[in-house]
Amino acid sequence: ETGVTQTPRHLVMGMTNKKSLKCEQHLGHNAMYWYKQSAKKPLELMFVYNFKEQTENNSVPSRFSPECPNSSHLFLHLHTLQPEDSALYLCASSFGQAYSYEQYFGPGTRLTVT
Amino acid sequence: AQSVAQPEDQVNVAEGNPLTVKCTYSVSGNPYLFWYVQYPNRGLQFLLKYITGDNLVKGSYGFEAEFNKSQTSFHLKKPSALVSDSALYFCAVRGLNAGGTSYGKLTFGQGTILTVHP
């Protein structure tokens, strides 16, 4: 639908598991973002990558570890998560320098931590 | 610090009636303003943006928004609502960073649930 895909769409994991979320954009964009969307809370920006370099980490706990091997792919590695980390995790991308243009979002990964 | 307020958690309108979803903002410098829509179990979809120029911006699906600098508002409007417009709508703003040297991150409002009744 938007050229940004995310897998898996749904993930249930225990607090001791390690898993990874994947995002891929087919739009030729140079900036990529991870957001967390929780019920009744504003959208929270987690990480920003600009031309594969991480430019922002908004005080995200170390149990979340991003990786951007190239401008088209973005990963979020998860380990020893807490139940409060259950949320919809959204990936987005945009053209040019980060924040210069509108962002295009993927469908999200619905994460449940048990 | 920049901020966005969407004063209504929910807006209810009848199909065929005009709709307005309100947004006010606070930023340093000239604002870049955006509207996004989110349907259930989907990501956010870009609707429209204001960067500069004409205060009335037209976007996807018949939506438009009016930039009002004096009132620091950017309300989303549609002349005739459809049931399929029912969704969660987010306003977002980008202004100068804390140092005033460049444009900073995008700040989203909390969202407004629009329900259009048949």
Side-chain angles (χ1 to χ4, degrees):
Chain A
E1 69 190 336
T2 63
V4 181
T5 58
Q6 290 186 243
T7 53
R9 292 293 307 275
H10 300 272
L11 178 62
V12 179
M13 60 187 287
M15 289 191 285
T16 58
N17 291 157
K18 288 185 179 181
K19 296 286 184 184
S20 296
L21 310 184
K22 179 183 177 182
C23 173
E24 184 173 0
Q25 59 94 1
H26 312 275
L27 301 169
H29 290 167
N30 299 310
M32 296 189 79
Y33 315 78
W34 277 118
Y35 286 89
K36 176 184 179 182
Q37 187 178 25
S38 305
K40 302 188 186 302
K41 283 188 174 182
L43 211 59
E44 299 173 53
L45 177 66
M46 300 175 71
F47 301 104
V48 180
Y49 278 82
N50 205 18
F51 293 90
K52 300 186 298 179
E53 298 296 321
Q54 186 180 127
T55 56
E56 277 191 56
N57 174 341
N58 283 300
S59 303
V60 181
S62 60
R63 56 186 184 269
F64 294 90
S65 174
E67 179 190 1
C68 188
N70 54 61
S71 293
S72 299
H73 294 86
L74 185 64
F75 295 89
L76 188 62
H77 303 299
L78 317 171
H79 66 96
T80 59
L81 294 191
Q82 304 299 310
E84 60 265 29
D85 297 323
S86 298
L88 182 67
Y89 288 84
L90 293 165
C91 172
S93 68
S94 64
F95 182 70
Q97 294 285 337
Y99 306 121
S100 297
Y101 296 90
E102 60 272 19
Q103 296 174 25
Y104 289 83
F105 286 78
T109 295
R110 175 69 63 185
L111 174 66
T112 303
V113 181
T114 59
Chain B
Q2 62 190 38
S3 63
V4 178
Q6 293 181 242
E8 301 155 317
D9 289 338
Q10 290 195 11
V11 170
N12 296 293
V13 297
E15 189 173 31
N17 283 0
L19 69 87
T20 299
V21 183
K22 295 180 181 178
C23 172
T24 58
Y25 65 88
S26 173
V27 293
S28 298
N30 293 320
Y32 285 26
L33 292 153
F34 304 84
W35 274 103
Y36 286 85
V37 60
Q38 186 177 29
Y39 297 100
N41 300 314
R42 306 274 282 276
L44 279 67
Q45 291 181 36
F46 168 72
L47 274 181
L48 51 78
K49 67 181 176 183
Y50 171 84
I51 305 286
T52 186
D54 195 348
N55 289 344
L56 185 63
V57 179
K58 293 188 184 296
S60 305
Y61 312 120
F63 284 94
E64 57 190 27
E66 186 166 13
F67 170 63
N68 187 317
K69 188 172 184 177
S70 62
Q71 296 185 5
T72 60
S73 67
F74 189 56
H75 301 331
L76 181 70
K77 300 181 180 184
K78 188 173 182 180
S80 179
L82 300 172
V83 172
S84 57
D85 293 329
S86 299
L88 180 59
Y89 289 82
F90 290 96
C91 180
V93 67
R94 181 167 76 88
L96 289 172
N97 63 6
T101 55
S102 65
Y103 278 89
K105 66 181 180 183
L106 202 58
T107 298
F108 286 84
Q110 292 206 299
T112 298
I113 298 172
L114 172 68
T115 303
V116 182
H117 302 281

